[in-house]
Amino acid sequence: MGTLNRFLSAVFDLVLRPFEGLPPLASLLPLSVLFTVFALLVFKWTSNQTALDRVKRRIQAGIFEIRLFNDDMGSILRSQIDILGQVGKQLALTLVPLLWMLVPFAIVIPQLQFRYGYSGLDPGERTLLEVRMRSEDGSERVDPARPKPDLRLEAPAGVEVETEGLWIPLEREMVWRLAGREPGIHELRLLDGSGFETTKTVVVSDRLVRRSPIKVGAGDWLRQIAYPAEPPLPADGPIESIEVAYREADVNLLGWRTHWLIAFLVLTIVLAFALRGPMGVTF
C-alpha cells in the first residue's frame, strides 16, 4: 500500500505542479474534465448501453402516454406503474458501472483532499503537533501512570518549536506547539533514545501543494488509504500516528465559497450531462 501511495502522490504532484501558484478552481476544472471523461468511459464499457437505452425510451413513452391520455385515470395509473418499474430497472443497470467507478473515485479523492482540503500555515501562525504513542503491550489499553516517553523533536529554521513536549498519558500523546516562520515545505524529525527516527512534513505556504495532516502506521492499511500523502510509520515502531492541525480550506466556485469536494462534484455532474451525448453514453 505504501508503494502505491508514493507512486500516486508523485503522479499528482507532477500533474498539479504547473498550477501551484494559481487559484484552486484553475486546476480543479481541468481535473473535473479528465475525471468526467474517464468516468463516462468506464460507465460505457461496464454497462449494458442497449438495455439502458431501451429503458430510457420506455420511460419517455410512459411520460408521453400520461400527457396524451390525461383524462383516463386507468391509463395514467398503468403508465405510472410502468415508469416506476422502468426506473427500478435503470437503477439496477447502473449499479455495476457505479461500483466500478468507486475504485478510481477512492484513489482520486484522498489525493485531492491533501491539496485542496487544507490550508498551509501562514508565517507566524501557530499549530499543534500531536504524536500518539503505541501502547506498551500492543493493545488499546491506557496506562495513566505511564512515564513520559524519551522523544525529541527537531525542526528546521522555517518552523519554530515554541514549547517542550507535553505528555498526556490518558491519550498516549506528546504535544508540541509550532509556529511557521519561513514559507516552504519543512521536515520535522522525531527521535527517541532507542535509535528510532522518523519525519513529518509541515507546510508553510498557501500554494497548491500536498499537505499531510496525519502520518499513520504501516499496519493500519485502511488509514493508509485515507491518508496516503506520506510514507507510513514503521509497524513495529513506538509511534502510532503523527498529526499536524491544519485549517480546513474552501474554494471559490463562481462567488460561492464551498468545500472543494462539493465544487468537484458539481463540476463533474454538469460535465457528465454535457459530454454524455458527444461520447455516446446513455445513463
Side-chain angles (χ1 to χ4, degrees):
M1 183 57 66
T3 301
L4 176 61
N5 286 339
R6 285 193 295 272
F7 171 75
L8 292 172
S9 294
V11 169
F12 277 87
D13 286 345
L14 182 64
V15 170
L16 293 174
R17 188 164 295 141
F19 301 96
E20 283 187 4
L22 300 176
L25 195 62
S27 54
L28 204 56
L29 180 57
L31 283 174
S32 300
V33 174
L34 289 175
F35 186 80
T36 301
V37 170
F38 177 76
L40 287 175
L41 289 175
V42 170
F43 191 93
K44 186 176 183 178
W45 294 335
T46 59
S47 65
N48 188 334
Q49 290 286 289
T50 302
L52 278 170
D53 186 64
R54 184 166 57 248
V55 167
K56 187 176 178 181
R57 292 179 184 277
R58 289 289 301 271
I59 292 174
Q60 292 172 342
I63 295 173
F64 181 74
E65 186 175 356
I66 290 173
R67 296 181 62 183
L68 186 64
F69 301 103
N70 57 16
D71 57 347
D72 186 342
M73 294 303 298
S75 296
I76 291 174
L77 182 60
R78 284 193 300 271
S79 297
Q80 289 177 334
I81 293 173
D82 184 58
I83 289 172
L84 288 175
Q86 296 303 317
V87 169
K89 290 181 182 179
Q90 186 181 36
L91 292 175
L93 288 168
T94 58
L95 182 60
V96 171
L98 288 176
L99 290 175
W100 274 100
M101 284 191 290
L102 281 178
V103 176
F105 194 80
I107 292 173
V108 169
I109 294 308
Q111 292 290 339
L112 297 185
Q113 169 67 12
F114 298 125
R115 292 161 175 84
Y116 297 97
Y118 304 100
S119 295
L121 302 180
D122 295 325
E125 183 179 358
R126 294 178 173 86
T127 189
L128 296 178
L129 177 74
E130 301 174 1
V131 179
R132 183 173 177 84
M133 309 299 294
R134 297 187 188 278
S135 62
E136 294 178 322
D137 60 1
S139 68
E140 290 298 318
R141 183 179 63 86
V142 174
D143 180 6
R146 179 176 176 177
K148 182 178 179 178
D150 180 17
L151 197 61
R152 187 172 79 256
L153 173 64
E154 295 180 357
V159 177
E160 180 182 353
V161 181
E162 294 190 329
T163 64
E164 295 291 332
L166 173 65
W167 173 236
I168 308 173
L170 290 178
E171 299 291 338
R172 301 203 311 270
E173 286 185 351
M174 285 276 285
V175 181
W176 288 265
R177 190 176 71 192
L178 310 176
R181 293 302 178 215
E182 298 175 7
I185 301 175
H186 307 291
E187 190 171 82
L188 306 176
R189 294 176 67 219
L190 285 158
L191 311 93
D192 72 1
S194 68
F196 172 81
E197 179 180 337
T198 190
T199 60
K200 178 73 186 76
T201 58
V202 175
V203 179
V204 183
S205 174
D206 61 353
R207 296 172 69 85
L208 183 65
V209 295
R210 182 174 14 132
R211 298 178 179 88
S212 171
I214 304 179
K215 185 171 183 174
V216 300
D220 192 344
W221 64 271
L222 282 176
R223 296 190 78 193
Q224 284 188 65
I225 295 174
Y227 298 100
E230 286 186 278
L233 294 159
D236 57 351
I239 297 177
E240 183 177 302
S241 65
I242 309 172
E243 181 173 357
V244 174
Y246 289 118
R247 290 177 287 110
E248 290 190 357
D250 54 24
V251 299
N252 187 343
L253 181 62
L254 304 177
W256 175 37
R257 301 208 67 87
T258 185
H259 192 275
W260 77 267
L261 183 56
I262 295 176
F264 182 75
L265 291 175
V266 169
L267 291 171
T268 301
I269 291 171
V270 171
L271 288 166
F273 279 96
L275 297 175
R276 64 174 180 170
M279 294 183 64
V281 180
T282 299
F283 53 79

